[in-house]
Structure formats: structure tokens, C-alpha cells
Amino acid sequence: MFDLLFKSLSDLNTQTALLEACGWDEQRMAYVIESFKSVCNSRFNQSSSKITIDEIKKEIQENLRDSLNESEILILSNILDSVYKDMLKSNQENQYEN
């Protein structure tokens, strides 16, 4: 999931939303993305148990609230939701094909 999530961060629509949340500051956007990736990699790649999207969003919010503003965290949460919905849709389509 996180590979797909990180790939979506390079999407033009996603980058535009992040840039807007960062006050059109590209350095700030790079910082937000790196902070986000760091939390995801350190907290979730080591977990062998299943984790819900709500748990992921809560964990990210708790770990980034001191370094990111609300609009930046909201955009990241929206990106998570979008990737998660795309994954569910893809899984459903694959089930229908089999």
C-alpha cells in the first residue's frame, strides 16, 4: 500500500493540492512529503499485523501534528483515503475477473 501511496505523491493533482496547503512553497512541500514518508516507513513497514486506514491516519496525525499544519495533514489524509479507495476498487475488479 505504501509503495502506491508514495507513487501517488508524484501525481500532478496531489502535488498541486500539497503545494497549495504549503503556501506554494516547494521546499515546504518536500519537507511535508519526507516527514510523511518517514512516519509511514518507521511506523508501518515493521508491523506484521493488519492495520486499518483509520489507525494509519490517526498515527500519522499524532506523529506529524507538531511539525505540519492542519491543512497539510488534511491533504495527506485525503491522499490516504484516495489510495485506499483505489486499492479496494482494484481488488473488487480483480475478484470479478476471476
Side-chain angles (χ1 to χ4, degrees):
M1 174 180 170
F2 292 107
D3 291 336
L4 182 59
L5 176 62
F6 297 152
K7 186 176 181 181
S8 75
L9 291 173
S10 63
D11 176 72
L12 184 60
N13 292 330
T14 300
Q15 285 198 348
T16 302
L18 274 173
L19 265 174
E20 186 175 0
C22 294
W24 301 100
D25 182 339
E26 290 183 16
Q27 289 179 332
R28 177 67 183 179
M29 183 183 76
Y31 172 78
V32 168
I33 290 171
E34 286 308 311
S35 298
F36 181 62
K37 286 181 177 181
S38 177
V39 168
C40 289
N41 285 328
S42 67
R43 301 298 242 172
F44 305 114
N45 279 347
Q46 299 162 0
S47 177
S48 60
S49 61
K50 295 206 178 212
I51 188 166
T52 68
I53 190 72
D54 290 330
E55 291 170 328
I56 294 170
K57 288 170 30 177
K58 182 180 177 185
E59 186 79 22
I60 287 170
Q61 183 175 19
E62 288 174 0
N63 284 282
L64 294 176
R65 70 174 162 222
D66 292 334
S67 58
L68 303 184
N69 66 44
E70 285 184 41
S71 61
E72 294 164 344
I73 293 172
L74 178 62
I75 293 299
L76 294 173
S77 180
N78 290 343
I79 293 167
L80 277 167
D81 284 335
S82 177
V83 169
Y84 183 69
K85 287 176 186 174
D86 288 346
M87 285 177 49
L88 289 177
K89 183 179 177 183
S90 176
N91 286 343
Q92 287 176 342
E93 289 172 356
N94 288 338
Q95 287 179 351
Y96 293 133
E97 290 176 5
N98 293 329

